Amino acid sequence: MRFLRNWGALLLPLASLFSLAPCSSADSTLVQPKEFTPPPVFKNTNLLRTIDITKPYVRETTAMVIDNISKEPQTEYYVLVPKGIIENISYFEARGESGPHAVSPTVFNPKSETQYYRVLFSAPLPAGKSAKLWITLAQTDCLTPVPALIGQTDKQFLQWTGSQYAASAYITEKQKTKIKFPNNEVPNFTVLENNDENDDPTGAGSWYTYGPYKTVNPDQKGGKAITLRFEYTSPVIKMIRMERHIEVSHWGGNIAFQERYWMTNLGAKLKDTFSRVQWASTSYYNPPTSAIKQLTFTLIPGAQDAYFTDEIGNVSTSRFRSNMREAHLELKPRYPVFGGWNYSFVVGWNHDLKNFLRVSQDGERYILKVPFLEGPKDSVTYDEMEITVVLPEGAIDVKYSPPIPLISEEEYLHHTFMDTLGRTAIKMRAVNVVDEQHKKELIVTYHYPTMALHRKPFAIFTGILTLFTFSWLVSKIDLRIGK
Ligand SMILES: *[C@@H]1O[C@H](CO)[C@@H](O)[C@H](O)[C@H]1NC(C)=O
Ligand SMILES: *[C@@H]1O[C@H](CO)[C@@H](O)[C@H](O)[C@H]1NC(C)=O
Ligand SMILES: *[C@@H]1O[C@H](CO)[C@@H](O)[C@H](O)[C@H]1NC(C)=O
Ligand SMILES: *[C@@H]1O[C@H](CO)[C@@H](O)[C@H](O)[C@H]1NC(C)=O
Ligand SMILES: CC(=O)N[C@H]1CO[C@H](CO)[C@@H](O)[C@@H]1O
């Protein structure tokens, strides 16, 4: 039993050794001093920032040509992130021409106005050479409904505020920012003065461009804020919390998925009380609405026995279609979820285990490959999520590689009915996750002795035998009164 208790300690180093994540964090976390400024060893000769606000969170991609202007080869590039934004960053990825670069987190110093991500090049950039660099990040909770209150059938508008210039720790010689809106309805946007005869921004429809701008220093002196207000015809779906439970049963040849959601809509709230009559009369035309009226889960083909329940019970307004090629679960909440309203529900389904599990070549280990996250295909963000994988009883030496950074992880024994030892389980917690992470895979490998497979039937058999023996003994005891 002492060995079992030490699993937790073993787990952490193993998990980092086994990390297969493409943009895995380097093991060394950099502690950032209060007055840290990256050495000016680079300049950005050309930079194109693209801000995509078509989803309920903001995706920013920056494509750059960077020059090493120092006398030595360089391996680290710092990406400046203003303080107010770093807490809302969901993911941060860096890529060069030859593939992804490792990104090392810097310890967040609450006293400093600027924070940095450290990008570690796979090969040093020699003095005098230039390279291409792409940075992609997603920022959540930065779109606000304006106006905050609307009528039931009114259009919804969201507002975003950011900076005219891309944040950078180095001098940027030339830059432009392109903005991608969800549609052509952009009633308000900041118009800037430009020295050239061109308007700033240029563009129309769903793409606007700010710039080009000449040399900008890291302090961004003279940079203006830009505010954009645009129509958003979909609800702003946020999962306040999500718990995903995956249970593997070798004995039953089954893998069961269950997801529990606490959902809210961060869109504009209703100005007046909700009118069901108006809702029923307009929903016939199926107009765009700021309310959540349906969620669609695209599951792995082969899913079966899907269910959808909420606090009241089975929700009959769901549809499940599953065949060899596809599996869709369409959910209609009991009521349309307008801005500020909540709805909690549970969905679940089963799969044949053989589609997710294989045995390693030496026959020693089992390899389980499942989606880390499934969730609705609609655009959503998750504040908090907890993913639990329950392995069969007797599984040992568990290793796994989460595809996204976690805030905590643990390995423990999960006890269920008829278990003798308890099942090995892993629990992973992540915060501030966006739907783009849906397709990423979680790989769990473990050793499962053949004997363990027989433990459950053996336990049942022993149980029945004990009961039988006991009743046989009882029947043999003479209980008659007054012999
Ligand atoms: C960051 O997220 C919080 C809520 O989690 C929100 O109140 C805040 O405005 C966001 N900050 C920015 C800069 O978007
Ligand atoms: C946005 O534009 C509309 C007209 O397109 C105008 O009526 C409104 O005052 C503007 N709002 C802001 C905050 O500038
Ligand atoms: C739950 O509702 C679905 C309809 O979506 C129905 O097919 C199913 O039989 C119901 N289950 C129970 C247990 O009532
Ligand atoms: C929705 O849930 C949040 C967080 O749990 C809570 O603060 C809020 O009061 C809830 N809103 C309603 C209308 O119940
Ligand atoms: C100091 C130094 O070598 N700077 C060079 C860095 O790279 C750029 C572009 O290749 C050169 O123009 C600089 O002279």
Side-chain angles (χ1 to χ4, degrees):
M1 269 330 247
R2 182 174 302 139
F3 172 58
L4 292 185
R5 239 173 268 131
N6 285 336
W7 281 2
L10 270 173
L11 176 71
L12 276 171
L14 283 178
S16 51
L17 264 182
F18 198 68
S19 177
L20 300 175
C23 52
S24 62
S25 304
D27 15 308
S28 57
T29 296
L30 189 74
V31 181
Q32 190 181 297
K34 188 169 162 227
E35 300 301 337
F36 173 76
T37 312
V41 294
F42 292 105
K43 75 178 179 205
N44 309 321
T45 48
N46 204 347
L47 181 152
L48 172 65
R49 176 172 64 146
T50 308
I51 295 172
D52 183 331
I53 40 184
T54 58
K55 284 187 175 243
Y57 53 94
V58 173
R59 285 172 294 168
E60 196 176 304
T61 307
T62 310
M64 292 178 268
V65 178
I66 60 171
D67 275 12
N68 173 6
I69 55 169
S70 74
K71 298 257 184 304
E72 286 90 43
Q74 298 295 333
T75 50
E76 299 179 353
Y77 181 95
Y78 286 88
V79 179
L80 185 152
V81 183
K83 184 182 171 183
I85 291 175
I86 200 146
E87 296 148 64
N88 298 29
I89 288 186
S90 171
Y91 65 81
F92 181 99
E93 288 166 5
R95 190 163 57 81
E97 269 170 308
S98 56
H101 291 311
V103 175
S104 151
T106 60
V107 167
F108 170 53
N109 180 348
K111 292 211 181 66
S112 171
E113 275 310 305
T114 46
Q115 305 297 329
Y116 300 93
Y117 277 93
R118 185 170 56 153
V119 175
L120 302 163
F121 298 147
S122 17
L125 182 63
K129 287 283 188 283
S130 66
K132 287 187 181 147
L133 177 63
W134 287 268
I135 303 290
T136 309
L137 60 88
Q139 193 191 340
T140 56
D141 299 316
C142 54
L143 299 172
T144 8
V146 177
L149 302 177
I150 58 172
Q152 197 170 313
T153 53
D154 289 354
K155 287 178 168 181
Q156 170 180 255
F157 293 89
L158 299 182
Q159 185 167 297
W160 177 82
T161 299
S163 165
Q164 170 189 16
Y165 300 137
S168 176
Y170 310 99
I171 289 177
T172 305
E173 284 186 335
K174 209 175 137 206
Q175 66 172 292
K176 250 188 339 198
T177 294
K178 289 177 104 179
I179 297 172
K180 171 119 185 72
F181 292 99
N183 55 45
N184 297 349
E185 283 288 309
V186 186
N188 307 84
F189 52 88
T190 304
V191 177
L192 297 168
E193 278 177 33
N194 197 330
N195 297 335
D196 301 338
E197 58 270 31
N198 289 337
D199 290 341
D200 197 22
T202 50
S206 60
W207 282 97
Y208 282 56
T209 305
Y210 281 90
Y213 301 120
K214 301 213 177 73
T215 305
V216 175
N217 288 322
D219 64 6
Q220 297 205 357
K221 229 185 197 115
K224 305 259 182 347
I226 52 180
T227 297
L228 313 164
R229 197 174 75 98
F230 53 96
E231 190 188 355
Y232 196 78
T233 53
S234 310
V236 184
I237 310 173
K238 151 86 83 191
M239 302 305 177
I240 300 165
R241 185 175 166 79
M242 194 277 276
E243 289 171 4
R244 176 166 159 90
H245 189 95
I246 304 168
E247 195 156 332
V248 175
S249 164
H250 279 220
W251 200 40
N254 187 60
I255 179 163
F257 293 84
Q258 186 183 71
E259 297 185 335
R260 190 174 284 270
Y261 289 87
W262 286 263
M263 179 172 76
T264 194
N265 183 347
L266 294 182
K269 296 180 178 168
L270 282 184
K271 195 160 57 180
D272 312 303
T273 48
F274 170 63
S275 155
R276 193 165 272 282
V277 175
Q278 193 186 21
W279 176 257
S281 66
T282 55
S283 55
Y284 178 75
Y285 304 101
N286 204 13
T289 171
S290 59
I292 309 169
K293 58 175 192 177
Q294 183 174 318
L295 294 170
T296 306
F297 285 65
T298 306
L299 307 177
I300 293 177
Q304 48 197 337
D305 323 318
Y307 55 89
F308 168 35
T309 61
D310 65 8
E311 280 138 25
I312 302 171
N314 187 30
V315 190
S316 57
T317 50
S318 62
R319 224 153 70 91
F320 179 56
R321 287 179 288 126
S322 181
N323 56 39
M324 301 289 276
R325 278 168 288 111
E326 50 179 16
H328 293 283
L329 179 60
E330 285 165 12
L331 315 178
K332 283 193 173 67
R334 263 179 225 275
Y335 50 87
V337 183
F338 280 95
W341 294 10
N342 296 340
Y343 186 68
S344 332
F345 61 94
V346 177
V347 289
W349 58 91
N350 288 320
H351 269 290
D352 222 341
L353 180 61
K354 67 176 190 293
N355 300 331
F356 297 84
L357 191 72
R358 57 191 179 83
V359 185
S360 68
Q361 256 158 11
D362 56 11
E364 279 295 299
R365 297 185 70 81
Y366 283 93
I367 303 161
L368 178 74
K369 208 194 277 182
V370 288
F372 184 71
L373 189 61
E374 282 177 280
K377 71 171 193 199
D378 314 71
S379 297
V380 297
T381 60
Y382 301 81
D383 258 356
E384 245 182 74
M385 65 166 62
E386 192 176 278
I387 295 173
T388 308
V389 184
V390 180
L391 298 172
E393 188 175 21
I396 51 168
D397 192 20
V398 180
K399 293 174 191 175
Y400 59 99
S401 62
I404 66 169
L406 304 176
I407 57 156
S408 73
E409 49 197 305
E410 67 176 294
E411 189 172 329
Y412 66 101
L413 289 178
H414 183 85
H415 290 278
T416 50
F417 179 63
M418 281 316 262
D419 285 344
T420 41
L421 293 178
R423 301 180 181 204
T424 313
I426 51 179
K427 183 172 277 180
M428 294 162 278
R429 291 191 188 86
V431 290
N432 206 12
V433 179
V434 296
D435 59 63
E436 281 170 283
Q437 316 286 32
H438 276 173
K439 288 174 215 106
K440 299 200 168 159
E441 269 172 341
L442 169 70
I443 298 170
V444 182
T445 73
Y446 53 93
H447 182 68
Y448 184 58
T450 326
M451 206 213 84
L453 183 63
H454 305 299
R455 186 174 284 130
K456 189 186 289 270
F458 182 72
I460 296 172
F461 175 72
T462 325
I464 293 170
L465 195 69
T466 314
L467 198 70
F468 180 78
T469 317
F470 182 73
S471 48
W472 179 76
L473 281 176
V474 167
S475 70
K476 287 285 166 214
I477 299 170
D478 198 344
L479 291 175
R480 276 170 301 172
I481 303 164
K483 189 180 176 183

